[in-house]
């Protein structure tokens, strides 16, 4: 009887937890030892609106591809073998002629475009190798409930485009580098334990948060560093009037300017964005973390308000550390 009970218990447990396992596993390898040699072909092979997580394991190598995860594909995980050696790289930029001899824009210059919901990425390097030729996006995300961990996102101007008002995105233990506005967009995004490197005297963020949304970009326990001889970097400037960006417990190098934030003057359509943008800090540290000379229109988050900066509140109930739903 005990043996029968044990068999039933194990069977029930397997049934309950089976949903956490990928229903399909695909291997991509440049040398032909996997199921595909192309990341895009592996993604294309996955059933549209599949029943559960699909895992794409990518072996080390440089994959010179422009990769799209369309809205018809969801619950896909891209997992690299080694983030330093598993690289998706492309070199498109705004102004470059495309296959139809039309000039590309910022919004189709991406190396990796994520349109599907519940996409997860880990142990990868995503790179746009174009630099000083125009805006050149490495990672463009439009889908909801996007998670990327332990990865490198490399580029120059406009490295990460966190797009669309409905999108919630979570970056953890990532290395991000760029020159100007290299983290930009409308989405609600959390950066946790990320290292962010400025490659030029310019601006780190350019949020375009929609009016009425309580959160835009939130940085927790991050580290801001810079290339040698870079000394004049702003934490952000508002791409649109209601931009929201908050740094919490962030270590800031001496390259961060004392005033911290820039109002983006000269935008004729939105001339006074500093009156509506919300830029704030709490617990800034390091040589660039001195808040005594910050612009008067920036804020310091109070201890009371810090209680509102939890993942659950920022993401309206979604927990990015749980399995894909």
């Amino acid at each position: 009887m005990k043996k029968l009970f044990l068999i039933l218990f194990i069977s029930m447990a397997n049934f309950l937890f089976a949903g956490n396992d990928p229903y399909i596993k695909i291997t991509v390898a440049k040398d032909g030892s996997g199921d595909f040699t192309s990341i895009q072909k592996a993604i294309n092979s996955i059933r549209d609106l599949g029943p559960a997580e699909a895992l794409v394991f990518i072996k080390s190598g440089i994959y010179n591809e422009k990769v799209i995860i369309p809205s018809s594909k969801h619950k896909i995980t891209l997992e690299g073998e080694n983030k330093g050696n598993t690289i998706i790289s492309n070199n498109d930029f705004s102004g470059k002629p495309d296959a139809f001899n039309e000039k590309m824009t910022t919004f189709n210059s991406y190396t990796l475009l994520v349109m599907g919901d519940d996409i997860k990425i880990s142990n990868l390097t995503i790179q746009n190798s174009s630099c000083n030729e125009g805006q050149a996006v490495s990672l463009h995300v439009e889908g909801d409930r996007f998670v990327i961990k332990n990865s490198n996102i490399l580029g120059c101007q406009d490295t990460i485009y966190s797009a669309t008002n409905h999108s919630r995105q979570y970056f953890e233990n990532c290395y991000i580098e760029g020159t100007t506005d290299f983290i930009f967009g409308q989405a609600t995004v959390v950066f946790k334990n990320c290292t962010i490197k400025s490659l030029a005297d310019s601006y780190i963020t350019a949020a375009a948060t929609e009016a009425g949304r309580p959160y835009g970009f939130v940085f927790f326990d991050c580290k801001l560093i810079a290339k040698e001889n870079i000394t004049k970097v702003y934490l952000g400037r508002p791409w649109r009037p209601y931009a929201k960006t908050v740094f919490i417990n962030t270590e800031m190098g001496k390259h961060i300017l004392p005033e911290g934030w820039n109002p983006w003057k000269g935008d004729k359509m939105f001339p006074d964005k500093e009156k509506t943008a919300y830029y704030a800090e709490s617990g800034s540290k390091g040589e660039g973390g001195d808040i005594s000379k910050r612009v008067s229109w920036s804020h310091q988050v109070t201890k009371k308000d810090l209680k509102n900066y939890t993942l659950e509140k920022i993401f309206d109930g979604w927990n990015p550390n749980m399995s894909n739903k």
Side-chain angles (χ1 to χ4, degrees):
M1 188 69 179
K2 288 182 180 179
K3 187 175 181 181
L4 178 61
F5 177 78
L6 182 61
I7 292 170
L8 289 172
F9 177 80
I10 293 171
S11 298
M12 182 62 70
N14 288 337
F15 174 77
L16 289 172
F17 292 107
N20 293 329
D21 295 327
Y23 83 97
I24 186 172
K25 296 180 181 180
I26 300 168
T27 299
V28 180
K30 294 273 295 184
D31 62 6
S33 62
D35 302 297
F36 296 94
T37 58
S38 158
I39 297 169
Q40 187 65 66
K41 287 183 178 179
I43 292 167
N44 293 347
S45 75
I46 297 170
R47 182 171 181 173
D48 290 344
L49 304 178
E53 179 188 6
L55 174 62
V56 178
F57 179 74
I58 306 167
K59 289 191 175 182
S60 295
I62 300 175
Y63 297 83
N64 296 113
E65 297 187 54
K66 191 179 181 77
V67 178
I68 300 173
I69 303 178
S71 59
S72 60
K73 310 288 185 183
H74 68 174
K75 300 180 181 179
I76 293 174
T77 294
L78 302 183
E79 180 183 330
E81 183 175 17
N82 178 294
K83 72 176 180 181
N85 298 320
T86 312
I87 303 166
I88 308 173
S89 184
N90 195 53
N91 62 353
D92 288 342
F93 58 89
S94 179
K96 179 181 178 179
D98 63 15
F100 302 98
N101 207 31
E102 298 285 341
K103 288 185 178 180
M104 291 185 180
T105 69
T106 303
F107 309 107
N108 59 10
S109 67
Y110 53 80
T111 295
L112 172 60
L113 170 62
V114 177
M115 300 178 73
D117 294 338
D118 299 303
I119 305 302
K120 296 192 292 186
I121 293 173
S122 63
N123 302 324
L124 276 177
T125 291
I126 303 162
Q127 177 186 42
N128 192 321
S129 61
S130 172
C131 200
N132 299 322
E133 296 176 286
Q135 294 92 337
V137 174
S138 294
L139 175 62
H140 176 155
V141 180
E142 298 185 2
D144 192 21
R145 298 183 299 274
F146 171 80
V147 175
I148 181 168
K149 295 183 179 182
N150 305 315
S151 294
N152 302 319
I153 307 104
L154 312 179
C156 285
Q157 185 171 355
D158 293 358
T159 304
I160 296 174
Y161 180 29
S162 291
T164 72
N165 294 321
H166 77 278
S167 180
R168 293 167 290 179
Q169 305 174 19
Y170 182 70
F171 292 68
E172 183 178 298
N173 295 328
C174 289
Y175 171 84
I176 301 162
E177 68 176 26
T179 56
T180 298
D181 302 336
F182 60 97
I183 300 173
F184 75 109
Q186 310 100 303
T188 299
V189 190
V190 167
F191 299 86
K192 173 73 172 175
N193 291 330
C194 291
T195 298
I196 298 162
K197 185 174 183 178
S198 293
L199 304 180
D201 289 329
S202 198
Y203 315 88
I204 296 173
T205 67
T209 318
E210 186 180 47
R213 288 195 176 269
Y215 304 98
F217 297 161
V218 183
F219 297 80
F220 289 105
D221 307 311
C222 290
K223 186 175 183 179
L224 309 184
I225 63 174
K227 183 181 175 182
E228 189 178 359
N229 298 322
I230 300 306
T231 59
K232 298 177 181 178
V233 174
Y234 290 95
L235 297 171
R237 60 176 179 170
W239 183 20
R240 291 294 182 266
Y242 294 94
K244 286 184 171 68
T245 301
V246 178
F247 286 88
I248 297 173
N249 297 328
T250 294
E251 183 178 337
M252 302 181 179
K254 62 183 179 181
H255 61 294
I256 299 300
L257 287 162
E259 55 266 44
W261 308 93
N262 182 281
W264 201 325
K265 288 294 186 182
D267 187 335
K268 293 180 180 179
M269 188 174 291
F270 307 110
D272 300 308
K273 289 182 278 192
E274 73 274 16
K275 294 180 180 179
T276 47
Y278 182 79
Y279 284 154
E281 299 168 66
S282 174
S284 294
K285 49 198 172 184
E287 292 183 73
D290 182 356
I291 62 171
S292 63
K293 296 181 181 179
R294 292 291 195 251
V295 291
S296 60
W297 44 274
S298 67
H299 304 268
Q300 290 297 308
V301 181
T302 65
K303 287 185 178 180
K304 181 181 178 182
D305 288 338
L306 271 177
K307 296 177 182 178
N308 294 319
Y309 286 89
T310 65
L311 292 181
E312 184 178 12
K313 289 184 178 180
I314 293 167
F315 289 136
D316 193 24
W318 171 55
N319 185 344
N321 293 310
M322 299 292 285
S323 297
N324 283 343
K325 295 179 180 179

